[in-house]
Amino acid sequence: MKLRTKIDKILSNVLVVIMGIMVINVLWQVFSRYCLGEPSSFTDELARYLMIWVGVLGAAYVSGKNNHVAIDVLPSRLSESKQKKLKVIVRILIILFSITALVIGGSRLVYITYVLKQFSPALQMPLALVYLVIPISGILIIYYKISDLLNS
């Protein structure tokens, strides 16, 4: 659990930094548009990419804290032993989804955009860097769910 606590701390700090950069970026966008009369060309794109990172990394963080949205109609009607079995099944399904969609699919997306040398229009940064958050988030979710399975 010590490693998990460190990962949680690092991930929460990264999310705070990204949100801080996003706030400053949007404030600059508003200031440059309405006060200077010349909107900044990169701020819209940067805000979009930072929002992607916050959303996807935030999903991994929330998954690690077990605070994700859940429909609890079925578990509340089950006995305690069946609830535990259902939690194991759900965690395994989350791991399988994370492996196939996030890690494998996300890695393919990163690879394709890297090989095709796709760059963002305003920032001229490789789109592979933007999409890299998908497999990273998948690996984090897998780690959290395996940790949950081992500690339950």
Side-chain angles (χ1 to χ4, degrees), residues 26-96:
V26 171
L27 286 173
W28 174 251
Q29 182 179 29
V30 171
F31 178 77
S32 67
R33 176 169 301 194
Y34 294 108
C35 295
L36 301 178
E38 291 184 29
S40 182
S41 61
F42 71 90
T43 53
D44 182 50
E45 192 172 281
L46 181 60
R48 188 177 313 122
Y49 296 152
L50 291 173
M51 182 65 82
I52 291 169
W53 273 71
V54 164
V56 179
L57 278 179
Y61 180 74
V62 168
S63 177
K65 294 290 186 180
N66 289 314
N67 287 332
H68 43 76
V69 177
I71 301 171
D72 62 349
V73 175
L74 180 63
S76 63
R77 296 181 183 195
L78 297 175
S79 66
E80 193 172 322
S81 65
K82 288 185 179 180
Q83 283 182 9
K84 288 182 181 181
K85 290 178 185 175
L86 182 62
K87 283 182 182 180
V88 168
I89 292 169
V90 168
R91 288 174 178 151
I92 290 170
L93 289 173
I94 291 171
I95 290 169
L96 291 174

Side-chain angles (χ1 to χ4, degrees), residues 2-146:
K2 202 173 187 182
L3 177 62
R4 185 174 178 143
T5 306
K6 285 184 179 184
I7 291 174
D8 284 343
K9 185 70 173 165
I10 292 169
L11 191 53
S12 67
N13 288 336
V14 166
L15 288 167
V16 167
V17 167
I18 292 172
M19 281 297 295
I21 293 170
M22 197 162 67
V23 167
I24 292 167
N25 178 59
V26 171
L27 286 173
W28 174 251
Q29 182 179 29
V30 171
F31 178 77
S32 67
R33 176 169 301 194
Y34 294 108
C35 295
L36 301 178
E38 291 184 29
S40 182
S41 61
F42 71 90
T43 53
D44 182 50
E45 192 172 281
L46 181 60
R48 188 177 313 122
Y49 296 152
L50 291 173
M51 182 65 82
I52 291 169
W53 273 71
V54 164
V56 179
L57 278 179
Y61 180 74
V62 168
S63 177
K65 294 290 186 180
N66 289 314
N67 287 332
H68 43 76
V69 177
I71 301 171
D72 62 349
V73 175
L74 180 63
S76 63
R77 296 181 183 195
L78 297 175
S79 66
E80 193 172 322
S81 65
K82 288 185 179 180
Q83 283 182 9
K84 288 182 181 181
K85 290 178 185 175
L86 182 62
K87 283 182 182 180
V88 168
I89 292 169
V90 168
R91 288 174 178 151
I92 290 170
L93 289 173
I94 291 171
I95 290 169
L96 291 174
F97 172 79
S98 296
I99 289 170
T100 55
L102 299 176
V103 176
I104 295 172
S107 296
R108 285 182 179 173
L109 179 62
V110 170
Y111 177 73
I112 289 169
T113 55
Y114 179 76
V115 168
L116 294 176
K117 294 181 171 75
Q118 293 180 345
F119 290 88
S120 64
L123 295 172
Q124 287 301 307
M125 66 181 268
L127 285 177
L129 290 177
V130 176
Y131 299 138
L132 187 61
V133 72
I134 298 170
I136 290 171
S137 180
I139 291 167
L140 288 168
I141 291 171
I142 292 166
Y143 167 76
Y144 282 133
K145 293 304 150 192
I146 290 174

